[in-house]
Amino acid sequence: MASPCGPGYPSGAMYGSPEARALHARSPAIDLHADSLMWSRWVGYDLHTRHDPPLPLAAIGGHVDVPRLREGGVGAQFFGLVSLPIGQRRGLAAVIHEQIDELDKAVRVAPDRLVKVRTAAEVEAAARRGAVAALLGIEGAHALEGEIAQLDHFARRGVRYLGLCHFSANEACFPAYGQGRRDVDGLTAFGREVVRRCEELGVIVDLAHINRRGFLDACAMATRPPMVSHTGVLGAFAHWRNIDDEQLRAVADLGGCVGVIFCPQFLGGDGLEPVVRHLKHIVDVVGEDAPALGSDWDGFIVPTRDLCDAARLPLLTDALLKGGFSEVQIRKLLRDNALRVIRDNPVPA
């Protein structure tokens, strides 16, 4: 039976070559961004049920669940916590806590299959147990509601990164695109306070969605490695959503990593080749210690057809092998680079 996700891939198949699957067994992938908990909060989406792949033109969600993460050799998933109805300014912290509650419930249902983690050691321990490690990251400092104390509350509940921006301005910064866009303005005074407090708490600063000025401001003051959880790169495709080589160098110089998104709109084409092209550009510009995976699954995107759900990730590994990436480079972008950034932003004892 043909899969609705893409031609030539039967439903329920094990995807990827034996070589690719063996690579995932040795280096279970870490994906830096999926918005699945948003759907759990809204419609009761069950992370433990294997869902059928969605139709291509309706594939704004339904890409991730624990069975398909395991099938695809994904050892750890960062779940993005989305708070922002455009224009709303209060009640956003509560929305984040509700999504964390959804993850906590899912972990209680099957702690042998899904475990909530904060540290690199816990990610590795989950892999040894054969469980999927779940990490949390907030998408947009709107969730702080202008109060730095909110960040402490979120960190205590296990949040490991804070995306400073989303699709509208907030008290910390301005978006690359969206409501309140102001390209000439960087981090606000509150934004600088947020970056400093993130580093004190071991919360990774995520630079997805923020405007270029704010992005470089955050890098200039950083003492810990940041990340860009889900993005494309301008050197591979010109789009407002993508970051340029100076931004790549700013993150790489700090020991950070850059997760490549799986959305054709930002990649410049459908299929695996555009994903490989963006990853290759990062390697060519700043080396093999920077690229990572940032799917944006379940985030109101239609993913590239070959990566329309988590089970298909080994297909990308095959494309990387065919594209000349070495095993060392692939293991770094699948897992090691993200794991290093987690480790280099230690959670206080």
Side-chain angles (χ1 to χ4, degrees):
M1 173 180 166
S3 164
C5 282
Y9 302 128
S11 290
M14 296 297 284
Y15 297 96
S17 68
E19 184 179 6
R21 300 194 66 79
L23 262 173
H24 283 249
R26 293 192 293 274
S27 294
I30 299 175
D31 178 50
L32 298 181
H33 194 83
D35 291 315
S36 315
L37 295 176
M38 171 179 66
W39 296 100
S40 296
R41 174 180 173 267
W42 281 348
V43 298
Y45 185 79
D46 184 359
L47 288 176
H48 291 294
T49 297
R50 192 189 193 286
H51 300 266
D52 289 331
L55 294 171
L57 295 181
I60 59 174
H63 310 133
V64 169
D65 51 52
V66 171
R68 285 181 291 168
L69 288 169
R70 296 174 77 177
E71 289 170 21
V74 182
Q77 179 67 63
F78 272 94
F79 289 101
L81 305 171
V82 182
S83 68
L84 188 62
I86 298 298
Q88 185 175 333
R89 279 293 178 270
R90 288 293 175 262
L92 301 180
V95 173
I96 297 298
H97 285 297
E98 288 166 8
Q99 290 169 84
I100 298 174
D101 291 343
E102 290 296 326
L103 177 63
D104 290 346
K105 286 190 291 186
V107 168
R108 288 195 297 270
V109 166
D112 57 323
R113 295 195 297 269
L114 182 68
V115 57
K116 182 179 175 182
V117 305
R118 296 196 302 165
T119 69
E122 290 169 345
V123 172
E124 292 176 313
R128 289 192 294 271
R129 290 172 45 198
V132 173
L135 302 106
L136 294 170
I138 292 174
E139 189 164 27
H142 317 76
L144 303 182
E145 299 180 344
E147 299 176 7
I148 200 71
Q150 295 281 14
L151 184 58
D152 293 63
H153 295 319
F154 292 137
R156 284 195 291 273
R157 294 206 66 189
V159 168
R160 284 310 327 268
Y161 73 63
L162 174 68
L164 297 180
C165 214
H166 201 189
F167 282 119
S168 66
N170 61 57
E171 294 87 350
C173 58
F174 303 92
Y177 180 84
Q179 188 179 76
R181 174 180 173 181
R182 286 160 59 175
D183 294 345
V184 298
D185 292 325
L187 292 181
T188 66
F190 179 70
R192 292 178 180 276
E193 183 183 4
V194 167
V195 171
R196 286 191 292 268
R197 188 61 181 150
C198 278
E199 293 196 337
E200 292 168 357
L201 294 169
V203 174
I204 301 161
V205 174
D206 175 22
L207 299 172
H209 286 289
I210 192 171
N211 69 357
R212 188 175 187 276
R213 175 71 183 274
F215 186 113
L216 295 176
D217 282 351
C219 288
M221 65 178 295
T223 63
R224 299 281 187 188
M227 68 167 55
V228 189
S229 63
H230 56 303
T231 189
V233 291
L234 280 169
F237 181 65
H239 193 282
W240 63 262
R241 181 68 175 78
N242 298 343
I243 62 174
D244 63 29
D245 289 355
E246 183 180 357
Q247 292 170 288
L248 283 177
R249 292 187 184 97
V251 171
D253 287 348
L254 291 163
C257 65
V258 177
V260 168
I261 199 167
F262 294 169
C263 180
Q265 179 182 357
F266 308 134
L267 295 171
D270 207 350
L272 296 169
E273 188 279 330
V275 185
V276 173
R277 185 171 69 248
H278 283 249
L279 289 164
K280 184 177 187 303
H281 183 81
I282 297 172
V283 172
D284 289 345
V285 173
V286 293
E288 62 191 32
D289 293 332
L293 305 176
S295 68
D296 204 17
W297 280 319
D298 288 340
F300 281 97
I301 67 162
V302 178
T304 191
R305 63 179 180 271
D306 301 283
L307 298 173
C308 66
D309 70 7
R312 288 159 170 75
L313 190 60
L315 297 173
L316 175 59
T317 300
D318 274 326
L320 291 166
L321 288 166
K322 292 175 184 175
F325 281 70
S326 70
E327 178 175 335
V328 168
Q329 290 174 322
I330 293 172
R331 292 180 68 167
K332 285 184 174 184
L333 71 86
L334 285 179
R335 182 178 180 84
D336 295 348
N337 294 340
L339 197 64
R340 182 194 69 245
V341 173
I342 297 168
R343 185 178 292 116
D344 289 348
N345 284 270
V347 177

PDB file of all heavy atoms in Angstrom, residues 16-23 318:
ATOM      1  N   GLY A  16      14.895   3.278   5.511  1.00  0.00           N
ATOM      2  CA  GLY A  16      16.336   3.432   5.498  1.00  0.00           C
ATOM      3  C   GLY A  16      17.056   2.112   5.290  1.00  0.00           C
ATOM      4  O   GLY A  16      16.528   1.027   5.527  1.00  0.00           O
ATOM      5  N   SER A  17      18.304   2.242   4.860  1.00  0.00           N
ATOM      6  CA  SER A  17      19.141   1.068   4.624  1.00  0.00           C
ATOM      7  C   SER A  17      19.618   0.484   5.952  1.00  0.00           C
ATOM      8  O   SER A  17      19.576   1.149   6.993  1.00  0.00           O
ATOM      9  CB  SER A  17      20.357   1.487   3.799  1.00  0.00           C
ATOM     10  OG  SER A  17      21.210   2.327   4.570  1.00  0.00           O
ATOM     11  N   PRO A  18      20.107  -0.765   5.936  1.00  0.00           N
ATOM     12  CA  PRO A  18      20.697  -1.320   7.163  1.00  0.00           C
ATOM     13  C   PRO A  18      21.843  -0.451   7.694  1.00  0.00           C
ATOM     14  O   PRO A  18      21.994  -0.320   8.914  1.00  0.00           O
ATOM     15  CB  PRO A  18      21.198  -2.696   6.710  1.00  0.00           C
ATOM     16  CG  PRO A  18      20.302  -3.065   5.569  1.00  0.00           C
ATOM     17  CD  PRO A  18      20.015  -1.776   4.856  1.00  0.00           C
ATOM     18  N   GLU A  19      22.622   0.140   6.795  1.00  0.00           N
ATOM     19  CA  GLU A  19      23.722   1.001   7.233  1.00  0.00           C
ATOM     20  C   GLU A  19      23.195   2.222   7.968  1.00  0.00           C
ATOM     21  O   GLU A  19      23.714   2.615   9.031  1.00  0.00           O
ATOM     22  CB  GLU A  19      24.557   1.428   6.029  1.00  0.00           C
ATOM     23  CG  GLU A  19      25.786   2.249   6.405  1.00  0.00           C
ATOM     24  CD  GLU A  19      26.622   2.636   5.190  1.00  0.00           C
ATOM     25  OE1 GLU A  19      26.188   2.358   4.051  1.00  0.00           O
ATOM     26  OE2 GLU A  19      27.697   3.222   5.384  1.00  0.00           O
ATOM     27  N   ALA A  20      22.147   2.841   7.425  1.00  0.00           N
ATOM     28  CA  ALA A  20      21.573   4.015   8.081  1.00  0.00           C
ATOM     29  C   ALA A  20      20.978   3.650   9.430  1.00  0.00           C
ATOM     30  O   ALA A  20      21.182   4.363  10.427  1.00  0.00           O
ATOM     31  CB  ALA A  20      20.513   4.649   7.189  1.00  0.00           C
ATOM     32  N   ARG A  21      20.270   2.552   9.496  1.00  0.00           N
ATOM     33  CA  ARG A  21      19.636   2.158  10.744  1.00  0.00           C
ATOM     34  C   ARG A  21      20.684   1.791  11.792  1.00  0.00           C
ATOM     35  O   ARG A  21      20.496   2.047  12.994  1.00  0.00           O
ATOM     36  CB  ARG A  21      18.655   1.019  10.508  1.00  0.00           C
ATOM     37  CG  ARG A  21      17.529   1.392   9.517  1.00  0.00           C
ATOM     38  CD  ARG A  21      16.388   0.411   9.542  1.00  0.00           C
ATOM     39  NE  ARG A  21      15.709   0.471  10.824  1.00  0.00           N
ATOM     40  CZ  ARG A  21      14.821   1.407  11.162  1.00  0.00           C
ATOM     41  NH1 ARG A  21      14.499   2.363  10.304  1.00  0.00           N
ATOM     42  NH2 ARG A  21      14.263   1.389  12.341  1.00  0.00           N
ATOM     43  N   ALA A  22      21.796   1.211  11.350  1.00  0.00           N
ATOM     44  CA  ALA A  22      22.883   0.899  12.286  1.00  0.00           C
ATOM     45  C   ALA A  22      23.498   2.181  12.844  1.00  0.00           C
ATOM     46  O   ALA A  22      23.865   2.242  14.028  1.00  0.00           O
ATOM     47  CB  ALA A  22      23.949   0.055  11.595  1.00  0.00           C
ATOM     48  N   LEU A  23      23.595   3.212  12.002  1.00  0.00           N
ATOM     49  CA  LEU A  23      24.096   4.504  12.478  1.00  0.00           C
ATOM     50  C   LEU A  23      23.176   5.079  13.551  1.00  0.00           C
ATOM     51  O   LEU A  23      23.642   5.614  14.573  1.00  0.00           O
ATOM     52  CB  LEU A  23      24.209   5.479  11.308  1.00  0.00           C
ATOM     53  CG  LEU A  23      25.580   5.660  10.672  1.00  0.00           C
ATOM     54  CD1 LEU A  23      25.491   6.527   9.425  1.00  0.00           C
ATOM     55  CD2 LEU A  23      26.543   6.291  11.668  1.00  0.00           C
ATOM     56  N   ASP A 318      20.502   8.087   4.887  1.00  0.00           N
ATOM     57  CA  ASP A 318      20.935   7.515   3.610  1.00  0.00           C
ATOM     58  C   ASP A 318      21.314   8.611   2.615  1.00  0.00           C
ATOM     59  O   ASP A 318      22.313   8.498   1.896  1.00  0.00           O
ATOM     60  CB  ASP A 318      19.822   6.648   3.017  1.00  0.00           C
ATOM     61  CG  ASP A 318      19.846   5.225   3.539  1.00  0.00           C
ATOM     62  OD1 ASP A 318      20.953   4.707   3.806  1.00  0.00           O
ATOM     63  OD2 ASP A 318      18.771   4.635   3.689  1.00  0.00           O
TER      64      ASP A 318
END
